Amino acid sequence: MTQTESQQRIRIFDTTLRDGEQSPGVALNHAQKLEIAHTLARLGVDVIEAGFPIASPGDLEGVSRIAREVRGPVIAGLARANRADIEAAARAVEAAENARIHTFIATSPIHMQKKLNLEPDAVIERAVQAVTLARTFVDDVEFSAEDATRSDWDFLSRIFKAAVEAGATTINVPDTVGYTTPEEMRRLFEYLRAELPAHVILSSHCHDDLGMAVANSIAAAEGGARQIECTVNGIGERAGNASLEEIVMAFHTRRDVYGFETGIRTRELYRASRLVSRLSGMPVQPNKAIVGDNAFAHESGIHQDGVIKARETYEIMNAELVGREAAVLVMGKHSGRAAFRKALTDLGYEDIPDDKVQYLFGRFKDLADRKGQIYAEDLRALVDARSDVPQTFSLEGFQITSGMNMMPVAFVRLHTPDGPLDATAHGDGPVEAAFQAISKITGLHPTLESYRIQSVTRGDDALGEVSIHVRHGETHLSGTGVATDIVEASARAWIRVMNMIVAGMGKNKAITQMTP
C-alpha cells in the first residue's frame, strides 16, 4: 500500500457487540456473540469491540471466547479509566491475535461536573494513568473522550496530547449524545489533526439522536479521521449508532467525491445485517438504506419501466454488490437434498455442517408441502432461524381450539428427554395458551417482556418471524421462531427460550453499562 493509499484507507471499528448490545431489550448469549464476531471477521472489519468485560463475569467470558476463537480483526475490550476495568479488559483480550484496550473518560463540562465531580486537571490525570496502565498489557491502546463534541476544544487537545504521550495509539472523538452537525464535526477533526502527531489515528464514534450519525462520521473522515466506529444496522443506545453498511456503501458508491476506501467485503453486508437483526430481535425497517426490504424494490410503473430498460436509471448500486441476489430460486417439495445443498451454497451458506443441513432439509420439506414454491428469501429465513442451542425440547405438534365467546385452548406435544409429552392449557389468546401448555411440559415459567411479529418472506403464505424477550429470574433471553403459522412460530420461539434456560444461556444485565 502506498503512502497516498494508506492515507485514504478508513479503518472500520465495529461495536455491534458492545454499543449495539446495549440497545434496550437486546441480550446476546456467548454463542450468539461468537457467531456475530465470526461474521464480522468474514465481513472484513478492522476492529471488533467485543464487549465491556467489567460489566459482568459473563461479558468477560464472552469477550475472552471471541479473543480466543476469532482471527483477523483486532479484538478490543472497553474499559473506564480505572484499574479494575482495565485489568478486566486485559484479561478478556489477552488471547487475541491482535488485542486492544479501549479506555475512556468524560471530558464535557456537564459530565465532569455532574457525573464525575472532578476538575479538568484531575480528569487528565486519570486519563494518563489509565492509558499508562493499559500499555503495560497491550501495545494497542485507544483513548476516548466521552461527550467530546460538547467539550472545550482546547481541553480536548490537552487531554489527547497527554494520552498520546502516555502511549495511546488511537484517539477517539465520540459524539456520545448525537448532538453535533457535519460541519462542526469536520472542523473539529481538522483542528485535532493539526494539534496531534501525524502517526496517531483519529477516530469518530457517532450516535444518531438527530439522524446525522452517518453524515457526521463521513464529515469526520473528511476532517482527518481514519477510523470510524459503527454498528451493523446502526443499532445501539437510544437512537443507535452510525450504520456500518451505509458508511461503507457511501464511500464505495461515491469514490469520486470522497476518495476513501475500506477493507469491507460488501457482498457480506446483507447477510451480516440479517444475522444481527435475528439474534438481537431488532427488526430492520423496510425503507432502511442498503439492507431494508424495500432498498432495491420498485413499485412505480415509471420506475419499473426504467429499470427494465437499464438498471442504472433508478439503481445507483447493484443488489448483488451488497449480497442481495436478485434471482428467484425455484425450489419445491420434489427437490432433493443435493439441489437443496446447492441452493444454500448459491446463497453463500457453504459452511453449514452436514447435520445442520439435514435439519434444515426437513424444515424445508415441511414448508414446501404447505407453501408450494420456495424462494430465496424463504431459504434465508430457514437458515437464519436454525438452532444454535441444545435441543432439550422440540415441537412435535399442536392444536388450537378457539372461537367467539370461547377461551382459546392449546394442545401441545413436545419431544423431551423423557420421550413425547403433551399438555393442554387455556389463555387469553391462542399464543398465550400455547405458551402455557409448553411451560406445563417443561416446568419453566419465564416472564414475557416483549413480543414481535414480522413477515420475512413474500406472498399470502409468507413465513412469519416471531421474536420474544423474556426474563427468567435475573436472566434476560431472546428467542425467535419462524413458520407460516404465527402460533407455530410463537411456540418455536418459546421453546427456544426453554432450551436456552436449560442450557444456562442468557445474560444478567443488572450492571449499568457506560458508553463513550
Side-chain angles (χ1 to χ4, degrees):
M1 190 179 296
T2 67
Q3 180 65 21
T4 301
E5 289 171 332
S6 174
Q7 291 173 352
Q8 297 306 103
R9 171 72 153 79
I10 303 294
R11 293 168 173 82
I12 297 299
F13 176 113
D14 183 275
T15 185
T16 302
L17 295 175
R18 200 276 302 168
D19 205 330
E21 200 205 9
Q22 289 177 201
S23 303
V26 175
L28 300 171
N29 62 47
H30 293 172
Q32 291 169 332
K33 293 187 77 167
L34 184 62
E35 185 174 1
I36 291 174
H38 280 300
T39 297
L40 294 174
R42 184 167 54 244
L43 181 61
V45 305
D46 298 282
V47 184
I48 296 174
E49 188 166 54
F52 190 21
I54 196 66
S56 70
D59 265 29
L60 193 152
E61 174 53 32
V63 176
S64 297
R65 188 172 176 188
I66 291 170
R68 290 193 302 269
E69 300 186 31
V70 177
R71 291 293 178 260
V74 173
I75 305 300
L78 184 68
R80 290 166 297 189
N82 63 60
R83 177 173 291 276
D85 278 41
I86 291 168
E87 289 178 347
R91 290 196 301 274
V93 301
E94 64 183 350
E97 182 180 39
N98 301 290
R100 174 181 295 185
I101 293 176
H102 178 193
T103 186
F104 71 96
I105 194 168
T107 55
S108 66
I110 190 169
H111 276 243
M112 289 190 290
Q113 294 166 12
K114 304 294 186 182
K115 187 179 75 172
L116 299 179
N117 194 27
L118 290 175
E119 293 296 322
D121 286 346
V123 171
I124 293 177
E125 184 179 355
R126 281 202 184 180
V128 169
Q129 290 172 347
V131 172
T132 302
L133 177 61
R135 277 302 300 262
T136 66
F137 297 108
V138 296
D139 293 329
D140 187 352
V141 174
E142 176 172 339
F143 174 73
S144 287
E146 185 182 8
D147 205 23
T149 56
R150 293 195 295 173
S151 301
D152 177 77
W153 287 17
D154 288 339
F155 181 66
L156 280 181
S157 175
R158 284 179 59 205
I159 196 168
F160 285 155
K161 286 177 179 177
V164 170
E165 239 180 88
T169 50
T170 300
I171 293 296
N172 184 44
V173 182
D175 185 25
T176 304
V177 292
Y179 178 74
T180 196
T181 67
E183 180 56 31
E184 288 176 345
M185 198 66 157
R186 184 183 300 106
R187 287 192 293 106
L188 174 56
F189 272 86
E190 288 172 346
Y191 167 78
L192 293 173
R193 183 68 285 168
E195 289 286 306
L196 297 175
H199 72 274
V200 174
I201 300 297
L202 291 182
S203 172
S204 73
H205 179 113
C206 296
H207 281 261
D208 207 34
D209 297 73
L210 293 176
M212 293 191 285
V214 170
N216 286 335
S217 298
I218 291 173
E222 291 179 306
R226 288 301 175 265
Q227 175 179 284
I228 291 179
E229 304 192 3
C230 47
T231 61
V232 174
N233 297 336
I235 68 173
E237 295 268 15
R238 302 181 314 279
N241 288 264
S243 169
L244 182 153
E245 58 277 358
E246 293 179 22
I247 291 167
V248 167
M249 292 312 297
F251 287 154
H252 186 281
T253 305
R254 296 309 311 270
R255 278 175 292 189
D256 59 319
V257 173
Y258 300 118
F260 297 128
E261 296 181 352
T262 73
I264 297 297
R265 301 176 184 93
T266 62
R267 292 182 184 274
E268 296 289 339
L269 285 171
Y270 186 63
R271 180 177 180 179
S273 168
R274 286 295 302 272
L275 177 71
V276 169
S277 177
R278 174 176 65 85
L279 295 183
S280 68
M282 298 187 70
V284 175
Q285 66 193 62
N287 63 326
K288 169 86 164 63
I290 315 301
V291 294
D293 287 344
N294 296 343
F296 294 91
H298 306 276
E299 186 170 337
S300 161
I302 295 174
H303 285 217
Q304 289 174 342
D305 179 65
V307 169
I308 289 171
K309 291 174 179 174
R311 289 174 65 174
E312 60 269 25
T313 55
Y314 289 101
E315 290 189 3
I316 62 172
M317 66 193 96
N318 294 334
E320 294 87 347
L321 186 60
V322 297
R324 302 184 63 160
E325 293 82 357
V328 172
L329 292 174
V330 181
M331 298 285 290
K333 64 181 181 180
H334 298 296
S335 301
R337 191 174 287 102
F340 178 72
R341 167 63 96 170
K342 184 179 185 306
L344 294 182
T345 300
D346 290 343
L347 286 173
Y349 296 113
E350 64 273 2
D351 56 351
I352 301 177
D354 289 339
D355 61 329
K356 297 294 185 185
V357 172
Q358 180 65 26
Y359 166 78
L360 291 170
F361 185 68
R363 292 291 313 279
F364 159 75
K365 281 290 193 178
D366 179 62
L367 177 62
D369 281 336
R370 287 179 285 169
K371 197 175 188 293
Q373 193 174 64
I374 304 297
Y375 297 92
E377 57 264 40
D378 295 306
L379 292 181
R380 285 189 184 278
L382 284 179
V383 174
D384 289 345
R386 70 185 188 272
S387 172
D388 58 2
V389 298
Q391 295 293 288
T392 304
F393 307 105
S394 59
L395 184 65
E396 288 201 349
F398 73 96
Q399 183 174 327
I400 303 294
T401 304
S402 65
M404 186 178 293
N405 300 320
M406 177 181 175
M407 180 173 282
V409 179
F411 169 84
V412 177
R413 175 168 293 156
L414 301 184
H415 181 76
T416 77
D418 299 320
L421 295 177
D422 52 60
T424 301
H426 296 81
D428 290 337
V431 170
E432 185 189 16
F435 285 0
Q436 294 294 342
I438 293 167
S439 289
K440 273 188 179 182
I441 297 171
T442 63
L444 299 169
H445 300 272
T447 301
L448 181 66
E449 295 192 327
S450 69
Y451 176 93
R452 178 180 61 83
I453 305 171
Q454 71 168 347
S455 174
V456 292
T457 63
R458 54 178 151 161
D460 294 336
D461 52 358
L463 282 173
E465 182 182 80
V466 169
S467 297
I468 61 175
H469 291 289
V470 306
R471 177 172 49 81
H472 183 67
E474 295 300 319
T475 303
H476 294 255
L477 307 104
S478 300
T480 56
V482 173
T484 54
D485 180 272
I486 293 304
V487 177
E488 180 185 343
S490 302
R492 291 186 181 279
W494 196 250
I495 292 167
R496 179 182 175 85
V497 166
M498 303 293 120
N499 286 327
M500 291 172 72
I501 293 172
V502 172
M505 296 180 177
K507 178 180 177 185
N508 187 324
K509 297 192 79 172
I511 294 181
T512 300
Q513 297 184 4
M514 299 178 66
T515 176

